[in-house]
Structure formats: structure tokens, C-alpha cells
Amino acid sequence: MFLGGVVVKKANIIAAIIGMLFSVVAFVLTFTFKHFKNVPVGPEFFPRYLAVGMFICCAVLLLQNLKVTKDNNYPAKTLSLRDKGMQKMLIGVGIVLLYALLWNVLGFLLISPLALFAMMYLVGMHKYLRMGIISIVATVVVFCIFKFLLGIEMPMGILE
Amino acid sequence: MDFGLMLSSFGQVFLPQNILFVFIGAIGGVLIGSIPGLTSTMGIALLVPFTYGMDFIPSVGMLLGIFCGAMYGGSISAILIRTPGTPAAAATILDGYPMGQKGEAGRALSISLFSSFFGGLIGALLMTFLSPFISKMALKFGPAEFFTLAVFGLSVIISISGKSLVKGLITALFGLLISTVGMDKTCAYLRFFRFQGFYDGIPFIPALIGLFAISEVFTNFEHMLASQKVKTKIAHVLPSWSDVKTISRAVVTGGLIGTFIGAIPGAGGDISAFVSYSEAKRVSKHPEKFGTGIPEGVAAAESANNGCSGGAMIPMLSLGVPGDSNTAVLMGAFIMQGFQPGPMMYVEHLDIVYAVFASLIVANFAMLLVGMCGVRTFAKVISLERKVLIPIILILSLVGSYAINQSMFDVYFAIVMGIVGYLFQKYEFPLSPILLALILGPMSESNLRRFMQIADGKFLTIFTKPICVVFILLAVASMISAVRNQHKINLKEEANKTAGTEQ
């Protein structure tokens, strides 16, 4: 679907266009910065010129990849949603995001074993008892180190 | 040099509780280094959050322990399974793995440990005696000199850009651009985003945890590397006297080469190990035996990559410019503890500087002892189940990002940087330039603006300052040599490919 089965040439062109758009947005935003009197180099100076530099480099990358060369004529790594690896990676990111979002709701102690278990399952482990024990022990060890040894206030969620 | 103060600082490091933390770091470092895919930068980044509540000396001792330990640890998997645990151990494969294949894995590991220790010690001692002189010179620097120094540091990006210079520059400019997010220190003006989490700029530790640890976890979700079983038995922990005599020259030369190459910003352990290896081969009476499994090959590579650890600390401590990605992370840890590395540190916190010197020396001894006692155990670590390790690294990364300010914003930011790092790596954009840019960006901007204020907006007056001219010339020379080196590497790769096809 997206970047599935393309060569590096096309992937580089897409990356260059994304970089150019990013730098254009940054460049335009610098004009919204406040102008300070009697300041030879204001807060807009650095980001503005960096955005110009980034735009030029992205344009060079784009131009370099308009032609097929030996450096860009091999398959790019896929971002296709049909790829099994990509599906796993996206599920993994989903688990990580959900885990982070639920930290304050359920608390570190409740949500971490579930997240660990889910991630171990995702990467292909199927020894459920072992996975359960590792999830609980790892959570308790990490919690104790940060809470009691380092004095960090860990999010407790509903256990508070 | 204030030897009285030096002795008292060394005494502080030699307290049992501080030595304990150096040992914990060394154990962690060797463990991380021996597992392929886990780099020393990632190890230090993961362990930085553990130092929040600690005093400076034990925390820096622990981080230096990881740094030295990981440099040695990389050789274990290089020798046993032909996979360098860290990029710095790539040259160790050339002779280490053939030695293992000849049934001499124990001998190779003992030579690697001995050479790593002496190489590291040479680096630490040179750092102790060289960096105070460099920092004394740096005390004469004004904003213009610091700006050009930062430009010199940034010029190094080219040498760490990998295959594509343009991609390296794009990631560096991306890093510089995001380093301008948040409060502008000169005019106290909030740039780009008005989130509270960005008031102090980009959260540095969450950014590097995201780029170097979380991105690696995401890559492993997609393609999990299989763990390899080690079947070799390890008989020796230290080399025999005849081996010591054979490798002594390679060890000393390697340690010196490693230290000097490490002191050049951007040139890390991998480059120094290869340079030292080719130097040992050049001066050897039997260069044809290199690559077939000889002790000098292992010694040259390992002493150089460990010598690099001391070398990379020289510009970081004396100039405030990190020598490589490891020292960039270490610098972040120093700043977190309230100490800004650079020449002023030698004036305001000389005791701390001496404590860092002592910690690096102790870290090398800790690495030696840990290596001697645990080499058989560490050899088994290579077979550790990555399916368990990767999820635990993720949890540690998120908790580490949270712990610095106890803020959920930092956790979300680390995840975003993890996704950015994953995509950058996937499409061959190097990550190290971002790290260097995040450190040197604010330094170059604030000093340029200060200089322009003093010079009344006349930028060209920078060329009337001799130190600035020297740094500008060094930056240009460094860029030209990096481009030439990359060109040579590309030509060599091409020749190798052609030779492979013809065969």
C-alpha cells in the first residue's frame, strides 16, 4: 500500500519531499516570531537559516534521486501494511502508546505486566507461564528500583 | 596541576560505595556490549535515569563503567559468534573469530581483555595529563571562539554521516532545527510550540532514549534477530606470558592510536580499531598472517577501541564538545547533575574533574576484574532470549524518560522520537548527527548571538580573531578529509563487490 516493493530511489524522493515540507513549515513559522529592537540576531535567525539549509539539502537529495544509479537502485525497506513485520511493528507501537496512556489511569504496577506480556507475545514467545512470571517480576524489580532506590514518584493510578 | 586536590579527589572515588557502582556499571556494560544490537550509547542512555537520585561521583563512575565495559564486551560476541556486540568491535572479528575457529576462543578472549585494559588505561592516563592543558587554552575563549569551536564540532557530522553525506546533513539540520524549539535563552522568547514541556527546549534525555533505545525496540518488533547459541568452551581468563610479549607492542601502539583518534570529535572506536589494526599489520614481520587468527590482530583492535574511551573524554571535558555519541550522552548526564563540561569546569569544579579521571581509571580496573571473573557467564549472555530482553528495554526506556522530570510529556516525547528514529534508520538516515546537533546547536546559537551583539552585527570581524580562524580552517580540513575518506571507503566497497561478483 505505502512504500511497498519500491526501490530506494523512490523512497529517497518521498523522504526529500517530506523534509522540504517540514522545512517550509518551519521557515514560515519563523515569521510569526516577535521582532526585538536593537538585537542584531533575533530568535528567528537560527531556525530560519537552518530551515533554508534543510530545504536545500532535501532538494539535493531529490535531484540526486531523479536518476537511477547503483546507489539507489535496490529495494527499499517496506512500510506496506500488508507486510507481516510492519503489522507487528504497528501493533507494537499501539501497545506502547496504550501502555503510556494508561500509566496514570491504571498505574505502573497494574499496566506494566500486561504490556510486557503483550509485547513478549507479539515478538513470538508462547511459553505463557514463563511470560507471566517474567512480566510480574520485571515490573516489581523496575518499580522497586525507581520508587525506593531512586525516590521517583511512580504513577499509581487506581492504586493510589 | 594541583596534586593535593587530585589525591583527595582520587581518595573519594576509592571509597567502597563508589567502587561498587563502578563495578555495577562495568558488569552492565560488558553485558550490554556482548549482546549484538545493543550499543554502549544505548546502555549509557538507559542507565542515565538510574543516576538521578545519586551523588555525582558514584553516578559518573557507573556510567564510565558501562562505557569501558561495553567497549570490551563487544569483542566477546565478535570472537565467539562473528557478530560484533558493538560497532567498535568490528575489527576484532578479523583475527578473533578465526582464533575461535581454531579452538583458541579462550586465548582470544583473554588477549582481548588484557589489551582492552591496557588500551583503556593508556587513554585514561593521557586524558588526565592532556585535558588540563587544553582547558587552560580554552579559558581564553570568548563567544566568537566558542561559536567557531561549535562549528568545528558540527563539521564532524560529515564523518559520522555514513554512506550518504546529504542524508547526514539533513538529519543534522533536523537536529539543529529541533534544538531551537522552546525558550530562546537570549531574548526569553518561546519558539514554535507553547507546550510547557518545551519551555526548557527539547527534553534531551528522553530524546536520546527515544532515538537510540525505543527505535531499536520498534525495529525488533518488526524483525526480531534470532539469538545464537555459543558452544565454545573458554579455558583462559588471562593471556600467557609469551602472548603478552608478542602483543605488547600492538597494545601500546593501539592504546596511543585509540586515544588520539578518540580525541578527534566524531571519530569513534570503530575507526580507531581499524586504523590500529592496519598499523599493526604494516609494521609486522608477518603481515600475511593477519586475518588468519593471530593475537596481534585482536590486541591492536581491542586496545585501540578502549583507548578511544579516554580520548573521547578529552574534548568533552576540556572544551565541552563531545568526542562521540557515548560522550554526548555522558555530557547530558553531567549537565543533569549540574556540571557543565568545558574549560570553566577546570576552574569551578577541579575536584570533580579529578574524580572523573580517577573514575575512568577505576572503570578500567573494574572491567579487567569483571572480565576475568565473568567471561564464561558473559559468553552465555549472547544466547539470552531477546524476546524477553526487548520488552524489558522498552519498559526501562519509558520509565527512564519519565523519571527525569516525573512528567508524562517526556514519555510521549520519547515515543515520538522513537518513531522518528525508527523511520530514519529504516531509510538509512544516520542518527548520531541529531545527537551531536542537539548538544552543539544551542552552544553555537547562543555564542553567535552574543558575538554579534558585541561586534554590533559585523560578522566578518570573526576573521580577525586567530583562534576563530584556526577553528574555521580545522572545520574545513575535517570536512574535506571526511569526504575524501568516505570516497575511499565507497571505492573499496565497490572493488570488493566487483571481486565478489567475479568469483
Side-chain angles (χ1 to χ4, degrees):
Chain A
M1 192 183 137
F2 183 56
L3 281 187
V6 302
V7 289
V8 166
K9 175 182 173 288
K10 195 170 172 187
N12 282 346
I13 290 174
I14 294 170
I17 292 170
I18 294 172
M20 285 160 92
L21 287 175
F22 179 84
S23 49
V24 166
V25 171
F27 183 78
V28 172
L29 281 176
T30 60
F31 287 93
T32 63
F33 292 179
K34 188 177 165 185
H35 186 72
F36 290 84
K37 277 180 189 170
N38 302 324
V39 176
V41 178
E44 77 293 337
F45 177 85
F46 236 62
R48 188 173 295 163
Y49 284 94
L50 290 171
V52 172
M54 190 170 166
F55 186 88
I56 293 170
C57 286
C58 289
V60 171
L61 184 68
L62 182 79
L63 292 173
Q64 277 180 346
N65 284 280
L66 288 178
K67 268 190 196 167
V68 177
T69 64
K70 59 180 179 2
D71 292 328
N72 64 18
N73 194 21
Y74 58 95
K77 287 182 183 161
T78 183
L79 274 184
S80 165
L81 296 180
R82 276 174 292 189
D83 180 73
K84 281 252 167 71
M86 264 319 289
Q87 288 171 5
K88 273 189 174 181
M89 188 268 166
L90 285 174
I91 294 170
V93 174
I95 294 172
V96 174
L97 282 173
L98 195 66
Y99 168 60
L101 288 169
L102 289 177
W103 256 24
N104 279 336
V105 184
L106 293 177
F108 179 81
L109 272 177
L110 282 184
I111 190 69
S112 297
L114 297 175
L116 276 171
F117 193 93
M119 283 187 278
M120 279 187 246
Y121 183 80
L122 181 73
V123 293
M125 206 170 165
H126 296 293
K127 295 167 185 162
Y128 300 117
L129 181 65
R130 200 170 156 222
M131 285 158 68
I133 294 169
I134 292 170
S135 305
I136 293 168
V137 172
T139 303
V140 173
V141 170
V142 172
F143 181 83
C144 289
I145 291 174
F146 278 88
K147 171 95 182 164
F148 301 114
L149 270 179
L150 305 175
I152 307 290
E153 271 309 312
M154 298 295 280
M156 296 303 287
I158 51 171
L159 294 179
E160 208 143 14
Chain B
M1 252 185 174
D2 186 341
F3 284 101
L5 186 66
M6 188 186 240
L7 275 180
S8 77
S9 297
F10 271 52
Q12 270 196 316
V13 173
F14 284 98
L15 291 174
Q17 64 268 34
N18 294 340
I19 290 186
L20 175 74
F21 279 106
V22 180
F23 269 86
I24 293 172
I27 295 170
V30 182
L31 277 173
I32 287 167
S34 59
I35 300 170
L38 306 189
T39 60
S40 48
T41 312
M42 178 185 176
I44 303 171
L46 270 180
L47 264 279
V48 165
F50 285 92
T51 63
Y52 296 152
M54 289 163 63
D55 287 337
F56 181 76
I57 294 175
S59 67
V60 96
M62 187 165 83
L63 296 176
L64 289 173
I66 301 169
F67 187 15
C68 294
M71 282 288 187
Y72 158 66
S75 71
I76 301 177
S77 51
I79 291 166
L80 295 176
I81 58 168
R82 212 186 176 207
T83 311
T86 57
T92 313
I93 292 181
L94 299 174
D95 275 288
Y97 185 67
M99 279 181 83
Q101 290 300 292
K102 287 194 277 184
E104 294 178 346
R107 189 176 168 215
L109 283 168
S110 64
I111 288 168
S112 156
L113 178 63
F114 178 84
S115 316
S116 298
F117 168 68
F118 275 99
L121 208 57
I122 291 170
L125 290 174
L126 279 175
M127 175 191 86
T128 306
F129 293 104
L130 273 184
S131 55
F133 292 106
I134 299 171
S135 75
K136 224 175 232 175
M137 270 169 37
L139 276 176
K140 292 174 189 152
F141 288 11
E145 285 80 6
F146 273 114
F147 167 68
T148 47
L149 173 65
V151 170
F152 170 54
L154 287 168
S155 71
V156 158
I157 283 168
I158 293 178
S159 58
I160 53 173
S161 289
K163 265 200 302 191
S164 166
L165 172 62
V166 181
K167 284 186 174 178
L169 285 174
I170 291 172
T171 49
L173 286 162
F174 172 76
L176 286 170
L177 202 51
I178 62 170
S179 78
T180 63
V181 168
M183 192 69 81
D184 154 40
K185 300 274 187 312
T186 314
C187 298
Y189 178 74
L190 205 55
R191 296 186 284 199
F192 290 114
F193 297 104
R194 295 188 183 274
F195 297 133
Q196 205 182 355
F198 285 138
Y199 279 10
D200 265 342
I202 289 287
F204 181 69
I205 302 289
L208 70 95
I209 290 179
L211 286 172
F212 287 92
I214 299 179
S215 66
E216 206 56 51
V217 173
F218 289 158
T219 308
N220 273 281
F221 281 153
E222 191 179 350
H223 296 294
M224 174 65 72
L225 279 174
S227 309
Q228 281 179 267
K229 288 266 178 281
V230 176
K231 290 167 190 161
T232 323
K233 273 196 172 176
I234 294 154
H236 306 70
V237 288
L238 274 180
S240 65
W241 181 240
S242 68
D243 274 346
V244 171
K245 278 199 280 188
T246 316
I247 61 171
S248 54
R249 188 177 169 174
V251 169
V252 175
T253 321
L256 291 172
I257 290 176
T259 310
F260 286 107
I261 292 185
I264 303 166
D270 42 356
I271 299 172
S272 64
F274 277 108
V275 172
S276 166
Y277 183 86
S278 53
E279 177 60 18
K281 190 175 172 181
R282 194 182 64 82
V283 298
S284 172
K285 286 175 190 158
H286 41 77
E288 72 288 350
K289 286 188 184 168
F290 274 74
T292 60
I294 59 165
E296 293 100 307
V298 177
E302 277 304 304
S303 57
N305 67 28
N306 274 70
C308 209
S309 52
M313 296 285 288
I314 296 174
M316 190 268 255
L317 281 174
S318 54
L319 301 172
V321 175
D324 60 4
S325 53
N326 289 302
T327 39
V329 183
L330 275 173
M331 193 165 155
F334 274 54
I335 295 167
M336 245 179 47
Q337 293 267 359
F339 299 106
Q340 176 71 47
M344 283 314 284
M345 203 164 148
Y346 285 75
V347 178
E348 290 164 356
H349 303 291
L350 193 57
D351 53 331
I352 291 291
V353 175
Y354 288 146
V356 176
F357 295 161
S359 300
L360 190 62
I361 293 170
V362 175
N364 277 292
F365 277 98
M367 178 198 73
L368 180 71
L369 279 176
V370 167
M372 275 164 59
C373 302
V375 69
R376 291 182 185 91
T377 319
F378 294 128
K380 284 181 194 145
V381 168
I382 299 166
S383 321
L384 201 77
E385 189 120 47
R386 293 178 69 89
K387 289 171 185 169
V388 174
L389 203 63
I390 293 298
I392 294 176
I393 288 177
L394 188 272
I395 301 279
L396 277 176
S397 305
L398 295 190
V399 179
S401 309
Y402 169 80
I404 183 166
N405 292 320
Q406 295 177 35
S407 139
M408 283 311 289
F409 178 83
D410 287 354
V411 177
Y412 302 136
F413 184 71
I415 297 173
V416 171
M417 290 311 278
I419 297 170
V420 170
Y422 163 80
L423 289 171
F424 273 31
Q425 270 182 317
K426 192 161 187 168
Y427 292 102
E428 297 167 7
F429 285 84
L431 290 179
S432 300
I434 303 183
L435 196 56
L436 212 61
L438 285 178
I439 288 188
L440 295 177
M443 179 179 166
S444 54
E445 182 184 12
S446 58
N447 282 298
L448 173 70
R449 290 174 66 182
R450 238 175 271 155
F451 162 68
M452 292 291 270
Q453 196 80 41
I454 296 166
D456 215 11
K458 291 168 188 150
F459 179 75
L460 290 179
T461 55
I462 208 162
F463 293 103
T464 60
K465 294 173 184 284
I467 298 173
C468 296
V469 174
V470 169
F471 278 128
I472 291 168
L473 289 176
L474 279 175
V476 173
S478 136
M479 283 191 266
I480 293 171
S481 85
V483 171
R484 281 180 59 183
N485 283 344
Q486 193 53 49
H487 184 65
K488 271 186 202 166
I489 293 169
N490 290 349
L491 284 179
K492 226 178 204 176
E493 273 180 8
E494 217 166 279
N496 286 347
K497 261 187 205 168
T498 323
T501 329
E502 279 170 8
Q503 274 173 11

